[in-house]
Amino acid sequence: MVKKTVLITGASRGIGSACAKVFAREGYNIILNFLSSESEALELAGELSKKGTEVLPFRADVSDFKQVKEMVEAGQRRFGKIDALICNAGISQQKLFTDITPEEWHRMMSVTVDAAFYCCQAVLPGMIRRQKGKIVLVSSIWGMVGASCEVHYSTAKAALIGLTKSLAKELGPSNINVNCVAPGIIETDMNSSLDSETREVLAQETPLGRFGTPWEIAEAVYFLASEKSDFITGQILSPNGGFVI
Ligand code: NAP
């Protein structure tokens, strides 16, 4: 049987790295995108290769149209096709709305929204030709309910929810599923700057009483990329410990 291939953006660390491990476990070839964390990406690629997974580590800034196109072409040359796209790369920033500079605003939009547009557009011709494909966009609970002092982040993540719903409608007739995972608060580098008091408050505000793990998000992402979710499209799955219900 021909192996399936997944492209995971931001797979060098955190949730993306956990996704790479889960898809490897499920027998996928992996296009492992990273930007600055080269050593982490290469170490992960080496670890997965040793277990028999074919991995193409690829440095690309997902906010750059040309770099995304080159990455997708390289993946298609190496593996023949891309069956699933996971748009996971992301950045965060805590700031008062009135202090956000135009550069910071545009960077947030380009790494989150432009990147999803570029990645989806680049993989779609192949998926449409084959009349099969899975796209999962990683948003956030803050894209669902909004976060104070993260207005640009919340706005960009909300845009991914709009992209998910509208693209799902457009691509349904081509048998391509587009879904969204909107995680709650997850134990990754993104939250490493939180002080212990804030961590305590956030955990207490979560009915399940703790932060989530990257694995718990990766399993949700994998579910939406697998055949088990073939009749699910345009949906937002939010593993958040009950933080947002
Ligand atoms: P993380 O540990 O900070 O990892 C971020 C990843 O994104 C890294 O692999 C990084 O790559 C990559 N990345 C950033 N900018 C990039 C760019 N321009 N081009 C390519 N790759 C880029 O974050 P995480 O917590 O795993 O977050 C993953 C996703 O989940 C993000 O979209 C985030 O917004 C979302 N999320 C996270 C949480 C949470 O609580 N952690 C909650 C909700 C949603 P390099 O290091 O190689 O540059």
Side-chain angles (χ1 to χ4, degrees):
M1 208 176 79
V2 185
K3 282 174 85 175
K4 285 187 175 169
T5 299
V6 62
L7 164 57
I8 306 169
T9 70
S12 48
R13 296 184 288 115
I15 292 168
S17 156
C19 286
K21 290 177 188 166
V22 167
F23 278 86
R25 179 194 74 198
E26 300 297 331
Y28 279 66
N29 305 316
I30 295 173
I31 306 162
L32 194 154
N33 165 248
F34 64 97
L35 180 57
S36 43
S37 304
E38 182 173 28
S39 56
E40 285 91 338
L42 295 184
E43 195 179 317
L44 174 59
E47 189 189 312
L48 300 179
S49 302
K50 264 194 219 143
K51 292 184 188 154
T53 302
E54 287 214 49
V55 188
L56 173 64
F58 202 99
R59 183 200 300 277
D61 182 340
V62 289
S63 70
D64 184 308
F65 175 71
K66 196 162 159 276
Q67 292 182 39
V68 168
K69 200 165 167 280
E70 283 165 4
M71 171 168 68
V72 167
E73 284 169 0
Q76 284 167 339
R77 265 197 310 278
R78 168 82 180 266
F79 299 118
K81 61 185 170 61
I82 296 173
D83 301 277
L85 164 68
I86 315 301
C87 287
N88 163 79
I91 51 172
S92 67
Q93 188 182 39
Q94 276 86 36
K95 238 180 163 180
L96 277 176
F97 178 67
T98 42
D99 290 342
I100 297 171
T101 66
E103 292 71 28
E104 288 167 340
W105 178 270
H106 290 305
R107 183 72 190 148
M108 186 62 75
M109 295 305 143
S110 68
V111 172
T112 312
V113 189
D114 295 357
F117 166 59
Y118 298 152
C119 291
C120 291
Q121 226 183 34
V123 300
L124 275 173
M127 289 183 176
I128 292 168
R129 214 172 28 251
R130 291 190 304 281
Q131 294 283 288
K132 205 170 171 53
K134 299 273 189 178
I135 294 175
V136 181
L137 307 181
V138 180
S139 174
S140 162
I141 48 169
W142 305 131
M144 300 166 71
V145 299
S148 162
C149 294
E150 290 188 77
V151 174
H152 51 353
Y153 181 81
S154 305
T155 304
K157 291 302 194 184
L160 293 187
I161 292 176
L163 177 56
T164 300
K165 292 181 179 183
S166 43
L167 197 56
K169 287 186 179 175
E170 186 165 319
L171 294 174
S174 298
N175 193 35
I176 296 164
N177 305 60
V178 187
N179 287 294
C180 177
V181 170
I185 299 146
I186 310 304
E187 201 73 73
T188 68
D189 295 345
M190 202 170 260
N191 290 317
S192 59
S193 62
L194 296 178
D195 58 57
S196 55
E197 202 181 317
T198 311
R199 288 178 60 89
E200 186 64 24
V201 171
L202 286 169
Q204 274 173 7
E205 281 176 9
T206 305
L208 287 178
R210 61 174 178 85
F211 285 17
T213 67
W215 306 106
E216 289 168 318
I217 306 309
E219 293 292 355
V221 168
Y222 176 69
F223 168 69
L224 290 174
S226 75
E227 284 166 10
K228 294 195 171 156
S229 60
D230 274 353
F231 199 53
I232 299 177
T233 197
Q235 301 302 310
I236 317 305
L237 175 59
S238 183
N240 64 43
F243 197 96
V244 173
I245 292 179

